[in-house]
């Protein structure tokens, strides 16, 4: 009999590049909890865990679907009713598309993965903002494609540096990722910047991948689709029910492929990939039409609650010596900067804060900023009273840390 094999089974090397700090850091938090300290989780942008509630008419729609036997596989591109509703919503946002150019996905996340997989070969380049939502770099690591990072500037309200983007374009550029409104910075881009970004994609003939998951959560009112700047340009818009419709666990999202016929091949490739995973979560697809064409009045209250928390966050953090933050204009994230002592990193600050106070933020380098720059991300969905006590503790810890 041959001896029993005991060597550990290797994992693919590509996993080394698949880093998602927002969840990876939870391992550290669990150790702090195991040592008996309560952890206050400010790492994940999930409104539900902070008491915000999914609109009841969406829950009713899913329940009706479940009880009326809608439990089989859905069409791989999604049920027609949902695709029509997304097309109508895109038109409302200034991006008219046919339902046939909409694919229903398991959240924005799956749309991003499908699009990048359809677009990029190993070695190709994709323009990604810094800081970025980390799924983009993680998916590129999986594909073997290369993120090429463009600057967004905290001194200019975290706006993208369009000249920098221009200087990074090469024959290997396959797409430009734009996250507007932005996670992690909370920035909303002005019209001139949006127009320049769309023109770059149009002129250089690569798609602009428009992550618009926070479009309805800008405090001054919903942001139009970036594709509206030039309807012939190759733009793919991504969104979901996760944030503005308060149903992140449902994994109900979509992508809409705009522009003239330049993206027809990419759309066909995405649909081919979508066939392979059969469908997104069928019953949840039945909430998409009620969400997008039904009552969305919950968003007024949500935006007002977010604006109040953003103002509290900005004023309290800017009052701490050594910390500065750009006021967010949308969503529930802020990206403060702490002026670090020489030799210290953003991770030192965030882990120190966690161990000393139980407050869990994510270090900026998890979003691509330099460790020595001292950025960290705060999710400000907790109640104003809780946030206030959190900012007291961040102030106290920062005074000690910088002493
Ligand atoms: C910018 C951005 N894109 C995509 C996602 C993923 O969203 P979904 O739940 O729709 O997959 C998030 C989630 O936080 C996000 O912040």
């Amino acid at each position: 009999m041959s001896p029993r094999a005991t060597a550990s089974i290797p994992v693919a090397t590509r996993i080394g590049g698949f880093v998602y700090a927002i969840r990876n850091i939870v391992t550290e938090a669990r150790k702090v909890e195991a040592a008996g300290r309560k952890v206050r989780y400010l790492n994940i942008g999930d409104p539900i865990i902070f008491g915000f509630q999914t609109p009841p008419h969406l829950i009713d729609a899913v329940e009706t679907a479940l009880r009326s036997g809608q439990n089989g596989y859905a069409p791989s591109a999604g049920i027609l009713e949902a695709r029509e509703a997304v097309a109508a919503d895109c038109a409302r946002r200034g991006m008219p598309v046919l339902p046939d150019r909409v694919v229903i996905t398991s959240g924005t996340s799956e749309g991003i993965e499908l699009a990048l997989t359809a677009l990029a070969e190993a070695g190709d380049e994709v323009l990604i903002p810094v800081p970025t939502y980390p799924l983009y770099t993680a998916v590129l690591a999986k594909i073997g494609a290369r993120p090429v990072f463009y600057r967004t500037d905290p001194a200019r309200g975290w706006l993208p540096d369009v000249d920098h983007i221009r200087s990074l374009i090469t024959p290997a550029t396959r797409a430009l990722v734009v996250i507007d409104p932005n996670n992690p910075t909370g920035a909303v881009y002005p019209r001139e910047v949006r127009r320049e970004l769309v023109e770059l994609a149009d002129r250089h003939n690569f798609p602009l991948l428009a992550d618009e998951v926070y479009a309805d959560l800008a405090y001054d009112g919903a942001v139009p689709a970036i594709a509206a700047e030039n309807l012939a340009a190759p733009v793919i818009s991504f969104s979901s029910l996760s944030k503005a419709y308060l149903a992140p666990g449902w994994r109900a999202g979509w992508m809409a492929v705009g522009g003239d016929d330049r993206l027809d091949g990419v759309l066909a490739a995405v649909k081919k990939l979508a066939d392979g995973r059969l469908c997104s979560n069928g019953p949840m697809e039945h909430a998409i039409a009620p969400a997008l064409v039904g009552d969305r009045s919950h968003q007024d209250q949500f935006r007002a609650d977010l604006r109040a928390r953003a103002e509290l966050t900005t004023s309290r953090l800017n009052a701490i010596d050594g910390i500065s933050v750009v006021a967010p204009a949308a969503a529930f994230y802020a990206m403060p900067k702490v002026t670090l002592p020489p030799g210290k990193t953003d991770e030192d600050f965030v882990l120190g804060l966690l161990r000393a106070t139980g407050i869990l933020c994510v270090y900026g380098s998890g979003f691509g900023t330099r460790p020595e720059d001292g950025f960290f991300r705060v999710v400000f969905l907790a109640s104003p009273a809780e946030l206030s006590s959190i900012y007291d503790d961040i102030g106290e810890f920062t005074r000690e840390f910088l002493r």
Side-chain angles (χ1 to χ4, degrees):
M1 204 170 77
S2 54
R4 206 175 137 253
T6 53
S8 71
I9 296 175
V11 298
T13 49
R14 72 175 79 89
I15 299 304
F18 196 94
V19 180
Y20 193 82
I22 299 170
R23 292 216 175 206
N24 297 161
I25 197 177
V26 171
T27 316
E28 287 305 317
R30 296 275 185 257
K31 288 186 206 156
V32 169
E33 265 170 349
R37 185 185 275 286
K38 178 175 180 286
V39 171
R40 288 173 281 176
Y41 286 89
L42 302 191
N43 61 318
I44 291 202
D46 181 347
I48 302 301
I49 53 183
F50 294 97
F52 291 95
Q53 287 181 1
T54 313
H57 67 291
L58 305 190
I59 295 176
D60 290 345
V62 172
E63 186 183 357
T64 303
L66 287 164
R67 293 199 187 282
S68 62
Q70 305 290 339
N71 298 304
Y73 292 124
S76 53
I79 58 172
L80 180 61
E81 186 201 8
R83 286 187 288 116
E84 285 176 343
V86 172
D89 190 57
C90 286
R92 173 187 71 91
R93 302 180 53 243
M95 178 191 184
V97 286
L98 294 172
D100 195 39
R101 296 180 77 81
V102 172
V103 177
I104 306 297
T105 54
S106 291
T108 313
S109 305
E110 193 196 29
I112 291 165
E113 177 144 17
L114 290 172
L116 289 173
T117 306
L119 281 164
E121 306 278 4
D124 279 348
E125 298 174 359
V126 176
L127 295 161
I128 304 277
V130 170
T132 184
Y133 179 64
L135 180 65
Y136 289 97
T137 39
V139 169
L140 291 178
K142 215 159 95 172
I143 296 170
R146 218 162 66 75
V148 174
F149 294 106
Y150 68 83
R151 278 192 299 268
T152 66
D153 183 1
R156 292 176 51 242
W158 287 113
L159 296 191
D161 180 341
V162 180
D163 287 333
H164 188 222
I165 300 179
R166 238 178 239 117
S167 74
L168 296 171
I169 296 171
T170 75
T173 306
R174 297 291 290 131
L176 165 64
V177 171
V178 176
I179 307 170
D180 177 22
N182 192 272
N183 173 15
T185 64
V188 173
Y189 301 163
R191 188 134 185 229
E192 317 79 77
V193 171
R194 290 154 65 83
R195 190 174 303 142
E196 282 186 284
L197 295 170
V198 174
E199 289 316 319
L200 278 185
D202 190 33
R203 192 150 9 99
H204 293 275
N205 207 32
F206 48 66
L208 187 156
L209 304 183
D211 186 328
E212 303 192 309
V213 73
Y214 299 105
D216 286 331
L217 296 184
Y219 313 144
D220 287 337
V223 171
I226 197 168
E229 295 303 330
N230 174 354
L231 292 176
V235 176
I236 307 180
S237 170
F238 302 86
S239 193
S240 74
L241 297 187
S242 296
K243 312 293 181 175
Y245 298 92
L246 297 158
W250 290 3
R251 315 309 302 129
W254 53 86
M255 57 195 283
V257 179
D260 48 27
D261 54 9
R262 279 181 274 179
L263 285 172
D264 286 2
V266 174
L267 174 62
V270 164
K271 287 186 175 174
K272 199 165 158 183
L273 290 168
D275 282 347
R277 62 52 157 144
L278 301 176
C279 62
S280 78
N281 301 308
M284 280 63 182
E285 292 191 12
H286 291 267
I288 291 176
L292 297 184
V293 296
D295 176 15
R296 57 172 84 214
S297 55
H298 71 277
Q299 289 181 349
D300 296 332
Q301 184 61 48
F302 193 27
R303 277 191 291 262
D305 289 345
L306 294 177
R307 186 199 288 275
R309 285 162 169 78
E311 285 169 2
L312 176 73
T313 300
T314 308
S315 65
R316 292 296 311 275
L317 289 178
N318 276 331
I320 298 172
D321 272 349
I323 291 189
S324 60
V325 64
V326 176
F332 28 78
Y333 310 100
M335 191 73 163
K337 176 183 169 77
V338 55
T339 308
L340 293 172
K344 293 282 185 198
T345 66
D346 54 2
E347 202 168 333
D348 293 333
F349 179 80
V350 163
L351 291 180
L353 179 69
L354 170 66
R355 289 171 190 145
T357 66
I359 297 167
L360 180 67
C361 300
V362 184
Y363 37 89
S365 45
F367 304 89
T369 56
R370 294 184 311 179
E372 63 273 26
D373 286 347
F375 288 105
F376 61 103
R377 189 189 73 166
V378 174
V379 172
F380 52 77
L381 283 163
S383 70
E386 165 113 44
L387 284 174
S388 199
S389 117
I390 285 170
Y391 298 143
D392 286 343
D393 290 353
I394 292 182
E396 203 170 309
F397 172 77
T398 305
R399 270 188 294 282
E400 285 300 308
F401 188 83
L402 298 184
R403 218 168 26 185

